[in-house]
Structures are given as structure tokens and as C-alpha cells.
Amino acid sequence: GAVVSQHPSRVICKSGTSVKIECRSLDFQATTMFWYRQFPKQSLMLMATSNEGSKATYEQGVEKDKFLINHASLTLSTLTVTSAHPEDSSFYICSADSPEAFFGQGTRLTVV
Amino acid sequence: QKEVEQNSGPLSVPEGAIASLNCTYSDRVSQSFFWYRQYSGKSPELIMSIYSNGDKEDGRFTAQLNKASQYVSLLIRDSQPSDSATYLCAVTDNYGQNFVFGPGTRLSVLP
């Protein structure tokens, strides 16, 4: 199946700093990528849909100025958590468009 | 607002038994249905996809879809302790976008 690579797998940052998470499609071109957030013992919550060459579409309640998404090429989308706070600590997962959603490995973000 | 519902569990079954996981969805235009397995701390991995009414078998897994009842299920035969995980049901529209995930059912297979 399609391979989606996400990096880093874990990151710890200080409150107020920014963190960038990368999501790459390794063996196919992804016009659309999806970013999810998952809190402990909860399901995946879609944050935004990343479209190559255009602005991302954010779900209701997700701050677009805080969660910056860039999809500059057909194989790479990035999510930058700006001015991170402890409540942003979560598991962030990307997936790429295809008939099935193939997920990256996820990034465990801890803001201290 | 699309909704996908699952029993949160935990569902406990003995090793070797059949585990039955259920999922209902609210959007009648949903066309594609997926089951994902998620181990703690890991991202989901696709187990099965099903697009038409009826049963679809793959090894020990069988997905069942009933669009009239807006119901999709996953059966796991000969359950193994390694099957212990959270199982997520997901539905999407005909264009393969707008994935909506259920809350997941936690399965525990007891040795």
C-alpha cells in the first residue's frame, strides 16, 4: 500500500515555541493531505485538509493562525504549531488522499 | 453533521473466540467504509475496506455492510491476544474525502 512518512515521531518543546511536523507521501503524489489530532482515549479529530498549491481548509474550531499548514508540493505537507501551549500536547497524524486513508506514523507533541 | 458511532468498549473475548465490532453511521450518502486498527501510541492501520452491501472476507477478518440499515461490522475469527487494540470505523463520501471516524471500540482478547 501507499506509504506516508511523518516526522518527527516525538517532540518536546517549551511553551511559546513553534514546532513543525512534516508529512511526506513516498511512492505517490498526494493532491490532498489530512491532518488529525488525537487526545488520549479519544478518536481522531480532523483538523484541516491540506490542498497542494492552495490554502488549507480548516475544521470548525481549529485556529488557522495557530496551526499553519503548507502543502507546497505533491509529496509534502507541513503542519506548524505556533506558540505552542501545554494544551496543544497531543498526537498529531497526517494522511494522504487515496481510496483508503494511509496514515503517517504520527507525532507525539509534548509542550512543557 | 455526519456521525459515526461505535461502542467504546472495552469488548473482552477469550482467545480463539469471534470478536464482533459494530458501527453505525448517519449520512446516507456515505459510500466507502473502512476498519482501522490502532495500537496504543501508534497511528491507525487499515484492516479492511468495503464499498458494497454484503460480506467481504480477508483472512480472519470479515466486514459486513448494510447500507439500508446504515450499519457496518467487523468480525474477527480465532481472536488472538495480538488483536487487542482499538478498532476505528470510518466512512467517507464517493470522492474519497471527508473521512469521518467513529470513537473506536477497544478490544481485549484474553489468553
Side-chain angles (χ1 to χ4, degrees), chain B residues 60-74:
Chain B
R60 295 186 296 113
F61 300 99
T62 299
Q64 299 174 318
L65 174 61
N66 184 324
K67 290 187 178 181
S69 300
Q70 295 177 237
Y71 173 95
V72 58
S73 66
L74 179 70

Side-chain angles (χ1 to χ4, degrees), chain A residues 55-105:
Chain A
K55 291 182 179 180
T57 304
Y58 290 82
E59 295 298 301
Q60 191 173 8
V62 178
E63 301 174 58
K64 62 181 181 180
D65 294 329
K66 181 173 182 63
F67 299 99
L68 301 180
I69 291 174
N70 184 280
H71 195 156
S73 76
L74 287 171
T75 60
L76 174 64
S77 175
T78 60
L79 168 67
T80 301
V81 183
T82 63
S83 187
H85 291 284
E87 58 264 32
D88 298 324
S89 299
S90 187
F91 192 49
Y92 292 86
I93 312 173
C94 69
S95 74
D97 68 335
S98 62
E100 302 87 14
F102 290 98
F103 290 92
Q105 301 93 323

Side-chain angles (χ1 to χ4, degrees), chain A residues 36 38 43 91 99-101 103-104, chain B residues 34 36 38 43 46 51 101-103:
Chain A
Y36 297 86
Q38 186 177 36
S43 190
F91 192 49
E100 302 87 14
F103 290 92
Chain B
F34 307 92
Y36 293 84
Q38 186 176 24
S43 64
L46 180 68
Y51 305 100
F101 286 87

Side-chain angles (χ1 to χ4, degrees), chain A residues 2-58:
Chain A
V3 178
V4 176
S5 177
Q6 187 173 343
H7 178 81
S9 58
R10 289 180 180 272
V11 59
I12 300 173
C13 71
K14 291 184 177 180
S15 185
T17 62
S18 296
V19 173
K20 180 185 283 189
I21 303 170
E22 293 187 348
C23 181
R24 294 180 184 273
S25 56
L26 298 184
D27 55 358
F28 68 105
Q29 293 181 329
T31 306
T32 305
M33 290 187 176
F34 304 92
W35 287 96
Y36 297 86
R37 179 169 53 184
Q38 186 177 36
F39 292 107
K41 300 190 185 303
Q42 295 186 24
S43 190
L44 298 169
M45 296 299 296
L46 179 65
M47 298 176 65
T49 301
S50 169
N51 303 298
E52 187 270 335
S54 64
K55 291 182 179 180
T57 304
Y58 290 82

Side-chain angles (χ1 to χ4, degrees), chain B residues 35 100 105:
Chain B
W35 283 100
V100 179
T105 297

